Amino acid sequence: MSAPTVAIAATGVANVASVKACLERLGAEPLLTLDPVVLENARAVVLPGVGAFAAGVEALNRAGVADLLVARAREGRALLSICLGMQLLATSSEEAPGLKGLGVLHAPVERLRGAPRLPHFGWNAVEVEDNPSALLRRGEAYFAHTYAMTPSETLEANGWRVARATEGSTFVAAVERGGTLACQFHPELSGAWGAALVQRWLQRAFDEDPSSRAIGAGGLSWS
Amino acid sequence: MTRIIPCLDVSSGRVVKGIKFQDLRDAGDPVECAMRYEEQGADELCLLDVSATPEGRANGTETVAAVRRALGIPLTVGGGVRRVEDAERLLAAGADKVAVNSAAVDRPALLTEIQARLGAQCTILALDAARLDANDPSRGWEVVVHGGRTRTGVDAVQWARDAVAAGAGELLATSWDRDGTGEGYDIELLAALGAAVSVPIIASGGAKSAAHMARALDAGASAVLAASIFHDAETTVGAVKQDLARLGATVRAPFAVTTTTPQS
């Protein structure tokens, strides 16, 4: 196919329906796939995730898509990793000691310390330095998790822009670099604020594509 | 941050509301209600198919899918979940969390199965509790099932502990005594459950005002659910949030920007 595509990495029963509905409301026509060729060639890829770290790592390795997702993130191509999807990009997780993550984000994932109740379900403030040209902006986002990435200077040193949130302790709410955006929160469930973030991510993905038809007074088109 | 959760009790594709789970009357179209509540600032939405269990059938997924297409906030769905396949079907249709009630009382391992397959984040125990003595909370609560038609004799607080141990990641705690009455949540029930388990608790049953909600939050609830007060347009989610903020609760601020309408 010649049209630019948005692909959702279908690793199992994740929050695929909500992500898909969000993308569709923004005018995209996402494909659900685990085909490495489709994921490699897609203009933009979403890595959703709900569930366990070990099962997530195993699903990516079994499908043979771990390396291409790592390459995509390293090159700053369009990748949106959500919740467990973000944690899978880390070096490791306290949830599965001894198991390596994809290692794109050089910071560990740990159980949330000091949270009044776990899992952490709910809306929290996302704090990030103001920058109107960036994807991530201040706001309130919806979280559903027990583990989270611990802030690390290595992230910034590696060129990641880091947003933080606090629930008992401060953790990494999201990071962005180029077209790659990884969110501990669920942008697809974060109302109008989350939809606007996904819209900016799509816009950046397709702006970089010279064949994109993503401009027009009547709105945006990604399909 | 406090979560305000409007609940749509759905029967045969329509929103309904009754008193003590009975005397259902029509309260509108689920998609229209869902979109209105999101616009008003709802933090989550709960959709319960109240006809599913008594009629002995699984939850219809058409309403879930239709609401999901429109809704940009989390969606909890319950009613008629008896097997892990039912939970998977609801997630596939667009639920973010699945609430299990009667079937988990019959077979607690169902919670473990859903948690193992879908994660604790998706596994909600819907606990309907009735006071053993309406005027004396120290006598305790028993679990009621089948839409309130059956009293089980099971101690509700112990069941909450067992359910969390089995895999439930959140409790949706409904007071059978208060449901639909507007007398306020069963505060003693919420306090007892909050002390017994470490997962978040959603208070349900009896809310009439922001003051009721503030009391539930003080008792240890993480979120407050209400149906009648929103369906009957007595108030809006936004107005309740303003009142709650005045009472000292932290609520999510409204976000004014609307998203681009799909044009493709």
Side-chain angles (χ1 to χ4, degrees):
Chain A
M1 86 172 45
S2 59
T5 52
V6 179
I8 300 173
T11 52
V13 186
N15 257 12
V16 171
S18 300
V19 173
K20 185 165 175 281
C22 174
L23 291 165
E24 287 171 348
R25 284 194 297 274
L26 293 168
E29 293 178 11
L31 302 173
L32 283 171
T33 182
L34 256 190
D35 183 336
V37 176
V38 177
L39 288 175
E40 175 59 31
N41 292 319
R43 175 57 48 183
V45 171
V46 177
L47 177 59
V50 168
F53 184 83
V57 170
E58 196 210 338
L60 295 180
N61 285 328
R62 192 174 53 230
V65 301
D67 290 346
L68 72 89
L69 292 174
V70 168
R72 183 176 277 271
R74 292 225 164 105
E75 292 158 14
R77 294 171 64 201
L79 175 67
L80 172 57
S81 285
I82 299 170
C83 197
L84 178 72
M86 172 182 177
Q87 297 178 12
L88 295 175
L89 298 181
T91 47
S92 64
S93 171
E94 189 179 347
E95 190 186 348
L99 187 66
K100 282 188 177 173
L102 300 190
V104 173
L105 300 174
H106 290 272
V109 171
E110 298 175 305
R111 197 174 166 89
L112 270 178
R113 311 271 183 238
R117 289 182 182 271
L118 289 176
H120 168 220
F121 284 116
W123 295 77
N124 287 54
V126 172
E127 301 290 345
V128 64
E129 285 173 28
D130 285 327
N131 180 348
S133 66
L135 299 176
L136 289 165
R137 298 180 189 170
R138 284 168 195 271
E140 287 167 340
Y142 180 80
F143 294 84
H145 62 126
T146 299
Y147 296 83
M149 190 172 290
T150 304
S152 156
E153 290 176 6
T154 314
L155 288 173
E156 274 106 344
N158 287 344
W160 294 98
R161 188 159 179 277
V162 178
R164 290 171 170 78
T166 300
E167 178 74 6
S169 53
T170 296
F171 62 93
V172 179
V175 297
E176 68 169 283
R177 190 175 71 184
T180 296
L181 172 65
C183 305
Q184 180 57 62
F185 55 81
H186 287 274
E188 78 279 17
L189 300 177
S190 295
W193 181 86
L197 173 60
V198 176
Q199 190 171 33
R200 288 193 292 276
W201 173 76
L202 280 170
Q203 182 75 63
R204 181 174 287 183
F206 287 93
D207 277 354
E208 290 165 3
D209 177 6
S211 69
S212 168
R213 293 178 285 119
I215 304 296
L220 302 167
S221 175
W222 291 287
S223 52
Chain B
M1 210 168 280
T2 300
R3 282 177 284 154
I4 310 295
I5 309 177
C7 180
L8 308 180
D9 290 334
V10 173
S11 181
S12 305
R14 295 290 291 176
V15 179
V16 296
K17 191 56 203 165
I19 294 174
K20 294 190 177 178
F21 306 165
Q22 309 287 327
D23 304 325
L24 302 180
R25 58 185 167 75
D26 194 279
D29 173 70
V31 176
E32 285 174 18
C33 287
M35 293 187 70
R36 185 166 69 243
Y37 294 144
E38 181 181 347
E39 285 167 16
Q40 289 177 3
D43 299 305
E44 262 181 64
L45 192 78
C46 184
L47 195 159
L48 298 179
D49 188 339
V50 294
S51 61
T53 296
E55 293 171 14
R57 62 178 175 79
N59 197 314
T61 52
E62 300 83 5
T63 303
V64 176
V67 169
R68 175 78 284 157
R69 278 193 291 277
L71 191 73
I73 56 174
L75 176 63
T76 296
V77 179
V81 177
R82 277 184 286 275
R83 303 171 306 153
V84 69
E85 290 80 8
D86 296 329
E88 286 185 313
R89 202 162 38 80
L90 292 175
L91 277 206
D96 300 297
K97 306 188 237 182
V98 174
V100 190
N101 189 336
S102 311
V105 178
D106 295 339
R107 197 172 67 81
L110 177 61
L111 293 167
T112 311
E113 292 164 13
I114 296 174
Q115 183 259 348
R117 189 83 65 91
L118 306 171
Q121 285 87 342
C122 298
T123 312
I124 311 304
L125 175 73
L127 185 159
D128 296 343
R131 288 186 175 194
L132 290 172
D133 180 336
N135 299 313
D136 182 6
S138 70
R139 294 278 310 282
W141 298 261
E142 69 175 315
V143 177
V144 297
V145 295
H146 303 121
R149 287 165 174 78
T150 308
R151 291 188 168 237
T152 64
V154 174
D155 180 76
V157 175
Q158 184 58 43
W159 168 228
R161 280 193 203 96
D162 294 345
V164 170
E170 190 169 38
L171 294 188
L172 169 54
T174 302
S175 164
W176 185 84
D177 305 277
R178 301 296 174 83
D179 183 65
T181 65
E183 294 170 9
Y185 299 103
D186 188 336
I187 297 302
E188 290 85 0
L189 172 66
L190 296 171
L193 293 173
V197 301
S198 63
V199 300
I201 295 168
I202 302 169
S204 165
K208 184 83 170 172
S209 67
H212 288 153
M213 294 176 176
R215 261 174 243 143
L217 299 168
D218 287 343
S222 299
V224 287
L225 180 142
S228 313
I229 58 169
F230 300 132
H231 300 335
D232 296 344
E234 289 170 24
T235 185
T236 64
V237 178
V240 163
K241 283 187 153 182
Q242 283 185 352
D243 289 346
L244 270 175
R246 274 194 285 273
L247 292 167
T250 310
V251 296
R252 180 168 66 103
F255 183 75
V257 176
T258 52
T259 54
T260 307
T261 306
Q263 298 280 335
S264 60

